[in-house]
Amino acid sequence: MPSDDGQILRNLQSDPMTAADFRRIALSLEGVEEYSHAGLPAFRVGGRKIASLASQAGGYGNLMLTLEQQAAFVEEAPEIFLPIPGGWGKMGHTHIRLAAASEDVLTGALRTAWKLRIDKNAKTSRKKTHVAERSGVTDKKSGKRRL
């Protein structure tokens, strides 16, 4: 008699992710907006890119990660994540194979790229404010630039 174990495992696995899923999940993150980058869909928060669908024709979504995050993702799931070839990959830009990713994995990966950008934007904002105050070009009371 055939076992139902294979069918049960298939039912526990989520459907392969698509570019539409990538877009839906990216846009569900707070403050994320879609824009066109070189004519292809990309996603940003605070004016800075976190991900794109520039490689969707090849079945990939692209994530902007640190090299450390990229290495951890690739080590954990090499069948899902790989560095983008060339210089971009050496800066942490990472492919995610959409058909191999579950919704949970795709959501976690996009959330990681989003959180990285949120944190970087906060640091950049604090640094600009601090430098401007030290150089005396802002009115500390109003925070506005002096003429």
Side-chain angles (χ1 to χ4, degrees):
M1 185 161 147
S3 168
D4 287 332
D5 290 345
Q7 183 63 37
I8 291 169
L9 287 175
R10 279 192 293 282
N11 289 341
L12 291 175
Q13 294 173 339
S14 67
D15 293 328
M17 293 292 96
T18 65
D21 293 317
F22 189 98
R23 175 179 280 112
R24 172 180 54 80
I25 294 167
L27 292 173
S28 75
L29 299 169
E30 186 178 338
V32 172
E33 60 185 13
E34 183 173 347
Y35 70 106
S36 178
H37 180 74
L40 297 164
F43 305 91
R44 64 184 170 201
V45 65
R48 301 297 302 264
K49 185 161 66 167
I50 63 163
S52 80
L53 283 167
S55 302
Q56 68 180 329
Y60 300 109
N62 299 331
L63 306 163
M64 286 60 217
L65 304 172
T66 66
L67 285 172
E68 293 79 17
Q69 290 168 329
Q70 179 190 72
F73 278 38
V74 171
E75 183 178 338
E76 179 79 21
E79 69 284 1
I80 300 173
F81 298 99
L82 68 153
I84 293 176
W88 293 111
K90 292 177 182 173
M91 293 188 301
H93 295 205
T94 307
H95 280 319
I96 180 169
R97 288 185 180 99
L98 295 173
S102 68
E103 180 147 355
D104 286 346
V105 168
L106 179 56
T107 300
L110 282 164
R111 186 172 296 284
T112 298
W114 171 82
K115 177 81 167 100
L116 175 64
R117 178 44 58 197
I118 291 290
D119 292 348
K120 282 185 175 181
N121 286 354
K123 284 180 185 174
T124 301
S125 177
R126 283 193 301 267
K127 192 180 291 184
K128 284 181 183 175
T129 300
H130 182 69
V131 168
E133 285 175 354
R134 281 188 27 210
S135 64
V137 295
T138 60
D139 181 323
K140 290 183 182 182
K141 201 172 197 179
S142 70
K144 294 182 180 177
R145 186 177 172 93
R146 291 187 210 156
L147 298 177

Coordinates of all heavy atoms in Angstrom, one line a residue, residues 55-108:
S55 N 16.0 41.2 -12.0 CA 16.3 39.9 -12.5 C 15.2 38.9 -12.6 O 15.3 37.7 -12.6 CB 17.5 39.3 -11.7 OG 18.6 40.1 -11.7
Q56 N 13.9 39.4 -12.6 CA 12.8 38.6 -12.5 C 12.6 37.7 -13.7 O 12.1 36.6 -13.6 CB 11.5 39.4 -12.3 CG 11.1 40.3 -13.5 CD 9.8 41.1 -13.2 OE1 8.9 40.6 -12.5 NE2 9.7 42.3 -13.8
A57 N 13.2 38.1 -14.9 CA 13.1 37.3 -16.1 C 13.9 36.0 -15.9 O 13.6 34.9 -16.5 CB 13.7 38.0 -17.3
G58 N 14.9 36.0 -15.0 CA 15.7 34.8 -14.7 C 15.2 34.1 -13.5 O 15.8 33.1 -13.0
G59 N 14.0 34.5 -13.0 CA 13.4 33.9 -11.8 C 13.9 34.3 -10.5 O 13.7 33.7 -9.4
Y60 N 14.6 35.5 -10.4 CA 15.2 36.0 -9.2 C 14.6 37.3 -8.8 O 14.1 38.1 -9.6 CB 16.7 36.3 -9.4 CG 17.5 35.1 -9.8 CD1 18.1 35.0 -11.1 CD2 17.8 34.1 -8.9 CE1 18.9 34.0 -11.4 CE2 18.6 33.1 -9.2 CZ 19.1 33.0 -10.5 OH 19.9 31.9 -10.8
G61 N 14.6 37.5 -7.5 CA 14.4 38.9 -6.9 C 15.8 39.3 -6.4 O 16.7 38.4 -6.2
N62 N 16.1 40.5 -6.2 CA 17.4 41.0 -5.8 C 17.2 41.7 -4.4 O 16.3 42.5 -4.2 CB 18.0 42.0 -6.8 CG 18.2 41.4 -8.1 OD1 18.4 40.2 -8.2 ND2 18.1 42.2 -9.2
L63 N 18.1 41.5 -3.5 CA 18.1 42.1 -2.2 C 19.4 42.8 -1.9 O 20.5 42.4 -2.3 CB 18.0 41.0 -1.1 CG 16.9 40.0 -1.3 CD1 17.1 38.7 -0.4 CD2 15.5 40.7 -0.9
M64 N 19.3 44.0 -1.3 CA 20.5 44.8 -0.9 C 20.8 44.4 0.5 O 20.1 44.9 1.4 CB 20.2 46.3 -1.1 CG 20.2 46.8 -2.5 SD 18.9 46.0 -3.5 CE 19.7 45.8 -5.0
L65 N 21.9 43.6 0.7 CA 22.3 43.2 2.1 C 23.7 43.6 2.3 O 24.4 44.0 1.4 CB 22.1 41.6 2.1 CG 20.8 41.0 1.8 CD1 20.9 39.5 1.7 CD2 19.7 41.4 2.8
T66 N 24.1 43.3 3.6 CA 25.6 43.5 3.9 C 26.3 42.2 3.4 O 25.6 41.2 3.2 CB 25.8 43.6 5.4 OG1 25.4 42.4 6.0 CG2 25.1 44.8 5.9
L67 N 27.6 42.2 3.3 CA 28.3 41.0 2.9 C 28.1 39.9 4.0 O 28.0 38.7 3.6 CB 29.8 41.3 2.7 CG 30.1 42.1 1.4 CD1 31.6 42.5 1.5 CD2 29.8 41.2 0.2
E68 N 28.0 40.3 5.2 CA 27.8 39.3 6.3 C 26.5 38.7 6.2 O 26.3 37.5 6.4 CB 28.0 40.0 7.7 CG 29.4 40.5 8.0 CD 29.8 41.8 7.3 OE1 28.9 42.6 6.8 OE2 31.0 42.1 7.2
Q69 N 25.4 39.5 5.9 CA 24.1 38.9 5.8 C 24.0 38.0 4.6 O 23.5 36.9 4.6 CB 23.1 40.0 5.6 CG 22.8 40.8 6.9 CD 22.1 42.1 6.7 OE1 22.1 42.7 5.6 NE2 21.3 42.5 7.7
Q70 N 24.7 38.5 3.5 CA 24.7 37.6 2.3 C 25.3 36.3 2.5 O 24.8 35.2 2.2 CB 25.5 38.4 1.2 CG 25.6 37.6 -0.1 CD 26.5 38.3 -1.1 OE1 27.8 38.3 -0.9 NE2 26.0 38.9 -2.1
A71 N 26.5 36.3 3.2 CA 27.2 35.1 3.5 C 26.4 34.1 4.3 O 26.3 32.9 4.1 CB 28.5 35.4 4.2
A72 N 25.7 34.7 5.3 CA 24.8 33.9 6.2 C 23.7 33.2 5.4 O 23.3 32.1 5.6 CB 24.3 34.7 7.4
F73 N 23.0 34.0 4.6 CA 21.9 33.5 3.8 C 22.4 32.4 2.8 O 21.7 31.4 2.7 CB 21.2 34.7 3.0 CG 20.3 35.5 3.7 CD1 20.5 35.8 5.1 CD2 19.1 36.0 3.1 CE1 19.6 36.6 5.8 CE2 18.2 36.8 3.8 CZ 18.4 37.1 5.2
V74 N 23.5 32.7 2.1 CA 24.0 31.7 1.2 C 24.4 30.4 1.9 O 24.1 29.3 1.4 CB 25.2 32.3 0.4 CG1 25.9 31.2 -0.5 CG2 24.6 33.4 -0.5
E75 N 25.0 30.6 3.1 CA 25.5 29.4 3.8 C 24.2 28.6 4.3 O 24.2 27.3 4.2 CB 26.3 29.8 5.0 CG 26.8 28.6 5.8 CD 27.7 29.0 7.0 OE1 28.3 30.1 6.9 OE2 27.8 28.2 7.9
E76 N 23.2 29.3 4.8 CA 22.0 28.6 5.3 C 21.2 28.0 4.2 O 20.6 26.9 4.4 CB 21.2 29.7 6.0 CG 19.9 29.1 6.6 CD 20.1 28.4 7.9 OE1 21.1 28.6 8.6 OE2 19.2 27.6 8.3
A77 N 21.1 28.6 3.0 CA 20.2 28.1 2.0 C 20.8 28.4 0.6 O 20.3 29.2 -0.1 CB 18.8 28.7 2.1
P78 N 21.8 27.7 0.2 CA 22.5 27.9 -1.1 C 21.6 27.6 -2.3 O 21.8 28.1 -3.4 CB 23.7 27.0 -1.1 CG 23.4 26.0 0.0 CD 22.5 26.6 1.0
E79 N 20.5 26.8 -2.0 CA 19.6 26.5 -3.1 C 18.6 27.7 -3.4 O 17.9 27.7 -4.4 CB 18.8 25.2 -2.8 CG 17.8 25.3 -1.7 CD 18.4 25.3 -0.3 OE1 19.7 25.2 -0.1 OE2 17.6 25.4 0.7
I80 N 18.6 28.6 -2.4 CA 17.7 29.8 -2.5 C 18.4 31.1 -2.8 O 18.0 31.9 -3.6 CB 16.8 29.9 -1.3 CG1 16.0 28.7 -1.1 CG2 15.9 31.2 -1.3 CD1 15.2 28.6 0.3
F81 N 19.6 31.3 -2.1 CA 20.3 32.6 -2.2 C 21.6 32.4 -2.9 O 22.3 31.4 -2.7 CB 20.6 33.1 -0.8 CG 19.3 33.4 0.0 CD1 18.8 32.5 0.9 CD2 18.6 34.6 -0.2 CE1 17.7 32.8 1.6 CE2 17.5 34.9 0.5 CZ 17.0 34.0 1.4
L82 N 22.0 33.4 -3.7 CA 23.4 33.4 -4.3 C 23.8 34.9 -4.5 O 22.9 35.7 -4.8 CB 23.5 32.6 -5.6 CG 22.7 33.1 -6.8 CD1 23.4 32.6 -8.0 CD2 21.3 32.6 -6.8
P83 N 25.0 35.2 -4.4 CA 25.5 36.6 -4.7 C 25.2 36.9 -6.2 O 25.3 36.1 -7.0 CB 27.0 36.5 -4.5 CG 27.2 35.3 -3.6 CD 26.2 34.4 -4.0
I84 N 24.8 38.1 -6.4 CA 24.7 38.6 -7.8 C 26.1 38.6 -8.4 O 27.0 39.1 -7.8 CB 24.0 40.0 -7.9 CG1 22.6 39.9 -7.4 CG2 24.1 40.6 -9.3 CD1 21.8 41.2 -7.3
P85 N 26.2 38.0 -9.6 CA 27.6 38.0 -10.2 C 28.2 39.4 -10.4 O 27.5 40.4 -10.6 CB 27.3 37.3 -11.6 CG 26.0 36.6 -11.5 CD 25.2 37.4 -10.5
G86 N 29.5 39.4 -10.3 CA 30.3 40.6 -10.5 C 30.4 41.5 -9.3 O 30.2 41.1 -8.1
G87 N 30.6 42.8 -9.5 CA 30.9 43.7 -8.5 C 29.7 44.0 -7.6 O 29.9 44.2 -6.4
W88 N 28.5 43.9 -8.1 CA 27.3 44.1 -7.2 C 27.2 43.0 -6.1 O 27.0 43.4 -5.0 CB 26.0 44.0 -8.1 CG 25.9 45.2 -9.0 CD1 25.9 45.1 -10.4 CD2 25.7 46.6 -8.7 NE1 25.8 46.4 -10.9 CE2 25.7 47.3 -9.9 CE3 25.6 47.3 -7.5 CZ2 25.5 48.7 -9.9 CZ3 25.4 48.6 -7.5 CH2 25.4 49.3 -8.7
G89 N 27.5 41.8 -6.5 CA 27.5 40.7 -5.5 C 28.6 40.9 -4.4 O 28.4 40.6 -3.2
K90 N 29.7 41.6 -4.8 CA 30.8 41.8 -3.8 C 30.4 43.0 -2.9 O 31.2 43.2 -1.9 CB 32.1 42.1 -4.6 CG 32.6 40.9 -5.3 CD 33.8 41.2 -6.1 CE 34.3 40.0 -6.9 NZ 35.3 40.2 -7.8
M91 N 29.3 43.6 -3.2 CA 28.8 44.7 -2.3 C 27.6 44.2 -1.4 O 27.0 45.0 -0.8 CB 28.5 45.9 -3.1 CG 29.6 46.6 -3.7 SD 29.3 48.2 -4.5 CE 28.0 47.8 -5.7
G92 N 27.3 42.9 -1.5 CA 26.2 42.4 -0.7 C 24.9 42.2 -1.5 O 23.9 41.7 -0.9
H93 N 24.9 42.6 -2.8 CA 23.6 42.4 -3.5 C 23.4 40.9 -3.8 O 24.3 40.3 -4.3 CB 23.7 43.2 -4.8 CG 23.7 44.7 -4.6 ND1 23.3 45.6 -5.5 CD2 24.1 45.5 -3.5 CE1 23.4 46.9 -5.0 NE2 23.9 46.8 -3.8
T94 N 22.2 40.4 -3.5 CA 22.0 39.0 -3.4 C 20.7 38.6 -4.2 O 19.7 39.3 -4.1 CB 21.8 38.6 -2.0 OG1 23.0 39.0 -1.2 CG2 21.7 37.1 -1.8
H95 N 20.9 37.6 -5.0 CA 19.7 37.0 -5.7 C 19.0 36.1 -4.7 O 19.6 35.4 -3.9 CB 20.1 36.1 -6.9 CG 20.5 36.8 -8.1 ND1 19.8 37.8 -8.7 CD2 21.4 36.5 -9.0 CE1 20.3 38.2 -9.8 NE2 21.4 37.3 -10.1
I96 N 17.6 36.1 -4.8 CA 16.8 35.0 -4.2 C 16.0 34.3 -5.3 O 15.4 35.0 -6.1 CB 15.9 35.6 -3.1 CG1 15.0 34.5 -2.4 CG2 15.0 36.8 -3.6 CD1 14.3 34.9 -1.2
R97 N 16.2 33.0 -5.3 CA 15.5 32.2 -6.3 C 14.0 32.1 -5.9 O 13.7 31.4 -4.9 CB 16.1 30.8 -6.4 CG 17.4 30.7 -7.1 CD 17.9 29.3 -7.3 NE 19.2 29.2 -7.9 CZ 20.3 29.1 -7.2 NH1 20.3 29.0 -5.9 NH2 21.5 29.1 -7.9
L98 N 13.2 32.8 -6.6 CA 11.8 32.9 -6.2 C 11.1 31.5 -6.1 O 10.4 31.2 -5.2 CB 11.0 33.9 -7.1 CG 11.5 35.3 -7.0 CD1 10.8 36.2 -8.1 CD2 11.3 35.9 -5.6
A99 N 11.3 30.7 -7.1 CA 10.6 29.4 -7.2 C 11.1 28.5 -6.1 O 10.3 27.5 -5.7 CB 10.8 28.7 -8.5
A100 N 12.2 28.7 -5.5 CA 12.8 27.8 -4.4 C 12.4 28.4 -3.0 O 12.6 27.7 -2.1 CB 14.3 27.7 -4.6
A101 N 11.9 29.6 -3.0 CA 11.7 30.2 -1.7 C 10.2 30.0 -1.2 O 9.3 30.1 -2.0 CB 12.0 31.7 -1.8
S102 N 10.1 29.8 0.1 CA 8.7 29.8 0.7 C 8.3 31.3 1.0 O 9.2 32.2 1.0 CB 8.7 29.0 2.0 OG 9.5 29.7 3.0
E103 N 7.1 31.5 1.3 CA 6.6 32.8 1.7 C 7.4 33.3 2.9 O 7.8 34.5 3.0 CB 5.1 32.9 1.9 CG 4.7 34.2 2.3 CD 3.3 34.6 1.8 OE1 2.7 33.8 1.0 OE2 2.8 35.7 2.1
D104 N 7.6 32.4 3.9 CA 8.3 32.8 5.1 C 9.7 33.2 4.8 O 10.2 34.2 5.4 CB 8.3 31.7 6.1 CG 6.9 31.5 6.8 OD1 6.1 32.4 6.7 OD2 6.8 30.4 7.5
V105 N 10.4 32.5 4.0 CA 11.8 32.8 3.6 C 11.9 34.1 2.9 O 12.7 35.0 3.2 CB 12.5 31.7 2.8 CG1 13.8 32.1 2.2 CG2 12.7 30.4 3.7
L106 N 11.0 34.3 1.9 CA 11.0 35.6 1.1 C 10.6 36.7 2.0 O 11.3 37.8 2.0 CB 10.0 35.5 0.0 CG 9.9 36.7 -0.9 CD1 11.2 37.1 -1.5 CD2 8.9 36.4 -2.0
T107 N 9.7 36.6 2.9 CA 9.3 37.7 3.8 C 10.5 38.0 4.7 O 10.8 39.2 4.9 CB 8.1 37.3 4.7 OG1 7.0 37.0 3.8 CG2 7.7 38.4 5.6
G108 N 11.1 37.0 5.3 CA 12.3 37.2 6.2 C 13.4 37.9 5.5 O 14.0 38.8 6.0

